[in-house]
Amino acid sequence: MIDTQLGFYQIIEQIGAGGMGTVYRAAHATTGQIVALKLLKPELVAPEMIARFNREADALRQLNHPNIVKVLDSFNEDGVHCIVMEYMSGGSLYDLLKSVGASHDSPLDIERVLSIALELADALTRAHHLKIIHRDLKPANVLIADDGTPRLTDFGVAYLIAKERITESGMLVGTPDYLPPETLNGDTVD
């Protein structure tokens, strides 16, 4: 899909992939603005997955917060479902932790750790105020902006308390290594 036009966007390169979608760095054809395009994987195009994908776009639109990646647009073109988000050039918190761990002599300083934790807690407070539970909080879902601030992303498996459930009861949702105990016990998440 590299060097392909999709809607108003020219795809430049693939920058990530997850369970639901593939993410590309792209440029707006007219303005040149660099964005991230998240495309629902073609093999997942089914009514319940389209609903989950659209719900992610809706959740992100509601979450107007400096530590949450902003949705700029969403569209469907010829069966390709796409969410257009602001692009974060600093990689992920996972990448940062991996690079710090590889350099053994320069651990992430406590001030930076506390700053990231406080900003993410603020982002989660905003989400919870809007009755949105992320359900997949992990270092790979925290992107780093140019100015070094963390931005929470990937609300694809988020639980919107006010919306109709699309996850089957008893179904485990999220990344197992990062699931809270109540999820593993089959209890209700809050």
Side-chain angles (χ1 to χ4, degrees), residues 100-177:
V100 168
S103 68
H104 301 298
D105 58 312
S106 61
L108 205 55
D109 63 75
I110 191 68
E111 290 83 17
R112 181 78 193 273
V113 170
L114 290 173
S115 175
I116 289 170
L118 287 171
E119 291 180 271
L120 291 176
D122 196 43
L124 290 169
T125 298
R126 175 69 179 150
H128 294 174
H129 174 73
L130 294 173
K131 309 245 185 279
I132 298 170
I133 300 172
H134 189 281
R135 294 201 305 185
D136 200 17
L137 187 60
K138 60 184 179 181
N141 286 342
V142 176
L143 301 180
I144 307 297
D146 290 337
D147 65 1
T149 59
R151 307 282 176 91
L152 187 56
T153 192
D154 199 356
F155 281 75
V157 295
Y159 175 56
L160 282 65
I161 293 170
K163 300 276 185 178
E164 182 180 325
R165 290 184 69 97
I166 59 173
T167 302
E168 293 179 32
S169 184
M171 185 176 176
L172 201 60
V173 176
T175 304
D177 289 348

